[in-house]
Amino acid sequence: MSIRRAAAMTTDMSDGRVRDEPGRGAEPTAGAGGGKGTLRVGRPRLRPRGVLRIVAALVAVAILAWLILRDTSPVGHFDSAGDKDRYLEAYHEAMREMPEPERVLDVRTGYGIVRVYRYAGPGEAGEREPFLLLPGTRSGAPVFAANMPGLLAQRAVYALDLLGEPGMSVQDRPIETHADQAHWLHEVLVALPEPAFHLLGLSIGGWTAANLAVHEPEKVAGLILVEPVQTFAGLSAELMVRSIPASVSWFPKSWRDGFNSWSAGGAPVEDEPVGRMIEAGMSTYTMRQPQPSLIEPARLRALEIPVLAILAGDSPMHDSAAAARTAQENLRHGTVKVYPGASHAINGEQPHRIAADIEDFLAG
């Protein structure tokens, strides 16, 4: 058989016969030792139109799956009953680190029910405005366990779980604007018997306190902002990059623990009750509310109340030096403290120093 004839032969797989089809598929190659007659059968190639059809089909399947599986709830919620049980187990374990509350209140607002704990202060004379503690994101009131002794030595304390965040508060109406975020908190203060409060906010709780003072300051006697985010400086690029994998609930737990350890200056978090509570909140709860935007300097300048800003010198969340400058330049009644070497977990790292600075601030 000639090389030319061998090159024109293809195999019909349906009946096993060899057909002579000139010009399709096979081409001659040299065998071992330079022999002639070895066949190489060409693979069928997808035409561009066929590739486009396959891509279109895959896109359609992906869109259909997203439509079926997407979470359409307009309010924050636990992803399942089992997820809620897992978070609450961690939450109650962390609450055992807190003192026993004098009262437990569930305050009805226009956006849901807010869980509030009240702790009696010294003397209960009534002449001092109590503290109202606002926790960081994905946590809850127990995040302040290390701070409670120093604060309760000064005055009564209220602590709450943020609405729309994991915790004992239950959101039942969409929170769509920053004004909405201020209004539910204002409703809580109105429902409490004291005429005014010193708001002590940690991280996103600091922004929440400042946001209330910007929108509805009537019952705010003063602000104590501990490592507040999006208040005096924007978020760091590293934070935004690291937070993406940590925010996906079905990614490994070790990724969330790693993120939380990074924000706490490398401290281990796996065996800490508060650390376990925060990780559980990250993996079990879906939030539905607007992301906090940086508070405008003009709004900071308009604040008439005293403000104590406590910033961590080694905070990974933002540029602490820039945040301190913004606070000093724009707070008309501001006191700014920067703790060198402290991380974003500053409230647990230096609770005694924070309590002393708060006492001096309020005395002044």
Side-chain angles (χ1 to χ4, degrees):
M1 184 184 297
S2 69
I3 293 177
R4 180 175 299 173
R5 180 166 175 78
M9 297 180 66
T10 61
T11 301
D12 186 337
M13 300 302 292
S14 63
D15 58 11
R17 291 178 295 170
V18 176
R19 299 180 185 271
D20 189 356
E21 299 184 26
R24 291 183 59 190
E27 57 185 300
T29 61
K36 299 178 180 180
T38 303
L39 292 179
R40 177 184 297 163
V41 180
R43 296 181 179 178
R45 296 181 179 178
L46 287 174
R47 295 181 178 180
R49 183 176 297 175
V51 173
L52 290 176
R53 287 175 179 172
I54 293 174
V55 171
L58 292 174
V59 170
V61 170
I63 293 174
L64 180 62
W66 177 77
L67 289 173
I68 294 172
L69 299 175
R70 64 179 175 151
D71 187 341
T72 59
S73 173
V75 299
H77 61 279
F78 289 100
D79 298 330
S80 70
D83 284 335
K84 182 177 180 179
D85 290 342
R86 186 168 84 82
Y87 174 80
L88 292 182
E89 181 181 0
Y91 178 95
H92 291 310
E93 179 189 10
M95 275 297 290
R96 287 194 282 271
E97 304 290 316
M98 295 278 281
E100 190 69 23
E102 177 193 31
R103 291 200 302 272
V104 178
L105 309 170
D106 286 321
V107 179
R108 164 61 69 180
T109 74
Y111 299 87
I113 297 174
V114 178
R115 170 60 58 89
V116 182
Y117 302 97
R118 190 184 194 280
Y119 301 87
E124 288 295 306
E127 71 277 5
R128 298 178 182 176
E129 301 94 344
F131 296 117
L132 177 68
L133 311 186
L134 305 174
T137 191
R138 305 283 187 174
S139 56
V143 78
F144 289 106
N147 306 103
M148 293 300 290
L151 297 177
L152 286 173
Q154 302 179 39
R155 58 189 66 206
V157 173
Y158 287 90
L160 59 73
D161 295 340
L162 296 176
L163 195 61
E165 295 263 4
M168 301 298 289
S169 297
V170 181
Q171 182 185 1
D172 58 20
R173 177 184 170 188
I175 298 172
E176 299 175 333
T177 66
H178 296 336
D180 290 344
Q181 289 171 309
H183 192 63
W184 73 255
L185 183 53
H186 175 71
E187 288 184 282
V188 172
L189 269 60
V190 169
L192 299 177
E194 289 82 0
F197 299 82
H198 288 285
L199 271 58
L200 193 166
L202 170 67
S203 188
I204 195 68
W207 178 89
T208 303
N211 182 64
L212 174 65
V214 163
H215 287 91
E216 301 191 54
E218 291 82 2
K219 293 197 70 173
V220 182
L223 295 178
I224 302 162
L225 310 179
V226 181
E227 261 293 276
V229 297
Q230 292 289 77
T231 305
F232 305 120
L235 301 176
S236 69
E238 186 177 7
L239 167 66
M240 291 186 281
V241 170
R242 285 178 175 266
S243 65
I244 294 173
S247 65
V248 180
S249 61
W250 43 269
F251 278 4
K253 175 180 179 294
S254 60
W255 292 22
R256 292 182 291 277
D257 286 337
F259 174 82
N260 292 331
S261 176
W262 169 77
S263 68
V269 298
E270 297 87 345
D271 297 326
E272 293 293 329
V274 168
R276 286 194 292 269
M277 175 186 66
I278 293 174
E279 187 281 323
M282 295 171 72
S283 61
T284 64
Y285 193 88
T286 297
M287 296 197 302
R288 288 285 186 268
Q289 55 183 321
Q291 292 295 315
S293 58
L294 187 63
I295 295 178
E296 298 172 359
R299 290 195 159 188
L300 295 175
R301 288 193 294 272
L303 292 175
E304 297 287 349
I305 56 178
V307 180
L308 170 62
I310 298 177
L311 303 170
D314 289 348
S315 174
M317 300 291 163
H318 46 221
D319 184 332
S320 296
R325 285 195 300 271
T326 298
Q328 290 166 343
E329 291 169 0
N330 293 283
L331 294 175
R332 296 165 58 196
H333 310 286
T335 301
V336 181
K337 302 279 187 178
V338 179
Y339 292 9
S343 76
H344 191 60
I346 186 174
N347 71 299
E349 294 169 347
Q350 302 196 39
H352 302 297
R353 182 177 178 182
I354 289 174
D357 282 340
I358 290 174
E359 188 171 21
D360 290 344
F361 168 72
L362 295 178

